[in-house]
């Protein structure tokens, strides 16, 4: 469940093309050490027929660790300034979460999370992940901690729980179980983390969508756990907990966009051939039946359009369900076009 290994830093914004083959990946992304000929554990998923280092907008998507273009688990050698950084500022009125303050969990006050990087800081090292069962040992948090990323992005299904007609006790219990895991607790005290929700942590079970009647409770439990303030815009905004962050000066600016693909999403069209290749669970709607269906909801779509107009040199778009998944009948964006 880890797509990372500690390696020598490599620039994010100055990646050169290979002189021998313009379609080959640079050495630091290829997974092959040219000097030794040995493989390196940096897999590349869903990046075929492209030079990964030429892509300016990247999409990370969850569901069974489907992380698009995982060649973005990069090591950037841009030097960090040694001077003290000014207090973080929000660059617009968008739901960009303010950085620079330590957050204390409202569900577990004994748990505090470090402040996020200041908005003028360079992000030199990232870790990505999605899908975690809170009752497992969670040893991978030790590896993430040793990797020392400047930012860890959790793409959903951070805990697994399902609400019922009798309430959401199981969801609260999931977070209670999580804080009994010493490897997570120690790592979370040291690592800046941003996160979004998927079906399991939304308490709706497999395939959760806009009809999940527990979604407002679940998003507030999630925000309480991560120490979001009572007036955090994600608690009340239409369409879910989508948000964005920006770090670095112009010319080296990273934008991270966390989507919510559950809160306002329409129910997918059930398959007519369960288990069949490419039709395992769902099939796309016919054009006549697709009218009125939505993946993000109107409010989030408008917000996303505005986010894509903002100046950034690298954009990471995080989706909790698969984006480029033409060969599957599981949850993915092609089900609603």
């Amino acid at each position: 469940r880890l797509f990372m290994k500690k390696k020598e830093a490599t620039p994010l914004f100055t990646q050169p093309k290979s002189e021998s083959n313009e379609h080959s990946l640079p050495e630091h992304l290829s997974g092959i050490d040219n000097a030794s000929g040995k493989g390196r554990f940096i897999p590349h998923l869903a990046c075929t027929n492209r030079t990964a280092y030429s892509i300016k907008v990247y999409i990370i998507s969850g569901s069974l660790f489907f992380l698009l273009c995982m060649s973005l688990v990069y090591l950037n050698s841009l030097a960090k300034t040694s001077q003290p950084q000014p207090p973080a500022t929000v660059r617009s009125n968008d739901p960009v979460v303010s950085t620079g303050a330590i957050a204390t969990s409202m569900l577990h006050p004994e748990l505090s999370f470090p402040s996020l990087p200041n908005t003028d800081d360079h992000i030199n090292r990232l870790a990505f992940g999605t899908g975690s069962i809170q009752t497992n040992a969670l040893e991978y948090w030790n590896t993430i901690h040793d990797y020392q990323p400047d930012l860890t992005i959790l793409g959903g299904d951070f805990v697994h729980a399902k609400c019922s007609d009798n309430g959401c006790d199981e969801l609260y219990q999931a977070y209670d179980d999580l804080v009994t895991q010493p490897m997570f607790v120690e790592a979370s005290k040291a690592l800046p983390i941003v996160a979004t929700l998927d079906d399991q942590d939304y308490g709706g079970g497999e395939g959760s969508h806009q009809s999940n009647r527990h979604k407002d409770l679940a998003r507030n439990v999630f925000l309480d756990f991560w120490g979001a303030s009572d007036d955090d815009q994600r608690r009340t905004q239409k369409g879910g907990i989508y948000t964005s962050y920006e770090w670095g000066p112009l010319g080296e600016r990273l934008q991270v966009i966390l989507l919510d693909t559950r809160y306002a999403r329409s129910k997918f069209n059930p398959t007519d051939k369960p288990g069949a290749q490419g039709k395992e669970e769902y099939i796309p709607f016919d054009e006549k039946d697709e009218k009125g269906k939505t993946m993000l909801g109107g409010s989030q779509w408008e917000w996303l359009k505005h986010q894509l107009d903002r100046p950034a040199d690298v954009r990471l778009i995080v989706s909790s369900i698969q984006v480029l998944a033409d060969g599957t009948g599981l949850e993915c964006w092609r089900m609603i076009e």
Side-chain angles (χ1 to χ4, degrees):
R1 293 202 168 204
L2 294 173
F3 295 96
M4 60 193 71
K5 189 172 181 180
K6 198 167 185 177
K7 287 292 177 184
E8 197 66 27
T10 307
L12 167 61
F13 295 99
T14 59
Q15 295 166 0
K17 293 186 178 180
S18 168
E19 294 179 358
S20 60
N21 185 347
E22 66 177 358
H23 296 296
S24 64
L25 290 171
E27 178 184 331
H28 70 282
L29 295 180
S30 69
I32 299 296
D33 187 324
N34 291 337
S36 66
K38 295 181 180 180
R40 293 188 285 179
F41 188 44
I42 307 178
H44 316 104
L45 306 180
C47 288
T48 57
N49 300 321
R50 296 177 185 269
T51 52
Y53 51 95
S54 69
I55 301 173
K56 288 298 184 181
V57 177
Y58 304 93
I59 302 172
I60 310 166
S61 87
S63 181
L64 302 179
F65 280 84
F66 177 90
L67 301 181
L68 177 65
C69 297
M70 273 304 302
S71 54
L72 288 175
V73 179
Y74 51 75
L75 303 176
N76 180 359
S77 65
L78 291 169
K80 288 186 175 179
T81 177
S82 60
Q83 298 300 319
Q85 296 297 310
T89 57
V90 178
R91 292 193 171 97
S92 77
N93 292 323
D94 293 330
V96 177
V97 177
S98 194
T99 62
I102 295 174
T104 299
S105 175
M106 296 183 185
L107 293 184
H108 292 274
E110 73 280 8
L111 188 62
S112 293
F113 307 107
S115 61
L116 297 178
N118 289 322
T119 53
D120 291 329
D121 285 351
H122 292 104
I123 299 298
N124 299 324
R125 180 173 293 179
L126 296 174
F128 307 95
T130 180
S132 175
I133 298 177
Q134 65 278 356
T135 53
N136 290 347
L138 308 185
E139 294 98 336
Y140 58 83
W141 280 106
N142 278 353
T143 305
I144 300 174
H145 183 274
D146 291 343
Y147 181 70
Q148 286 296 297
D150 297 316
L151 183 70
T152 299
I153 301 174
L154 302 180
D157 287 345
F158 182 57
V159 296
H160 279 58
K162 188 174 182 180
C163 298
S164 67
D165 292 340
N166 295 323
C168 288
D169 290 347
E170 186 176 320
L171 185 61
Y172 285 101
Q173 185 62 50
Y175 287 104
D176 290 347
D177 292 338
L178 183 63
V179 299
T180 68
Q181 301 289 352
M183 296 180 191
F184 163 73
V185 171
E186 290 307 308
S188 67
K189 290 177 180 178
L191 302 177
I193 296 172
V194 296
T196 189
L197 295 174
D198 198 35
D199 52 356
Q200 300 297 334
D201 27 25
Y202 249 129
E206 295 291 338
S208 179
H209 50 82
Q210 62 185 202
S211 297
N212 173 13
R213 62 190 183 89
H214 303 288
K215 60 187 181 182
D216 285 314
L217 184 149
R219 73 168 167 178
N220 280 304
V221 172
F222 167 85
L223 293 170
D224 285 349
F225 179 80
W226 289 108
S229 63
D230 289 337
D231 60 355
D232 190 301
Q233 193 165 350
R234 293 173 295 174
R235 292 187 184 274
T236 56
Q237 69 186 8
K238 293 181 179 179
I241 63 162
Y242 52 90
T243 193
S244 70
Y245 306 82
E246 295 173 9
W247 289 282
L250 281 176
E252 298 174 347
R253 181 167 297 170
L254 169 67
Q255 182 188 40
V256 176
I257 298 174
L258 299 178
L259 300 179
D260 188 327
T261 63
R262 295 293 176 180
Y263 190 95
R265 199 202 76 201
S266 299
K267 183 178 180 180
F268 284 155
N269 189 26
T271 183
D272 55 356
K273 294 182 180 179
Q277 179 65 36
K279 290 187 170 184
E280 290 86 351
E281 295 181 9
Y282 305 102
I283 55 176
F285 288 100
D286 293 333
E287 185 175 352
K288 61 182 178 62
D289 295 328
E290 194 175 40
K291 186 176 182 180
K293 301 296 189 296
T294 182
M295 179 65 72
L296 302 179
S299 297
Q300 188 174 181
W301 272 120
E302 288 301 314
W303 171 86
L304 178 58
K305 291 177 184 177
H306 180 68
Q307 292 300 311
L308 297 177
D309 286 336
R310 294 179 63 77
D313 300 283
V314 172
R315 303 181 197 276
L316 299 182
I317 303 176
V318 182
S319 169
S320 67
I321 66 170
Q322 299 180 72
V323 179
L324 301 182
D326 290 343
T328 179
L330 303 178
E331 292 185 302
C332 59
W333 280 62
R334 76 183 184 92
M335 296 302 167
I336 299 178
E337 298 180 0

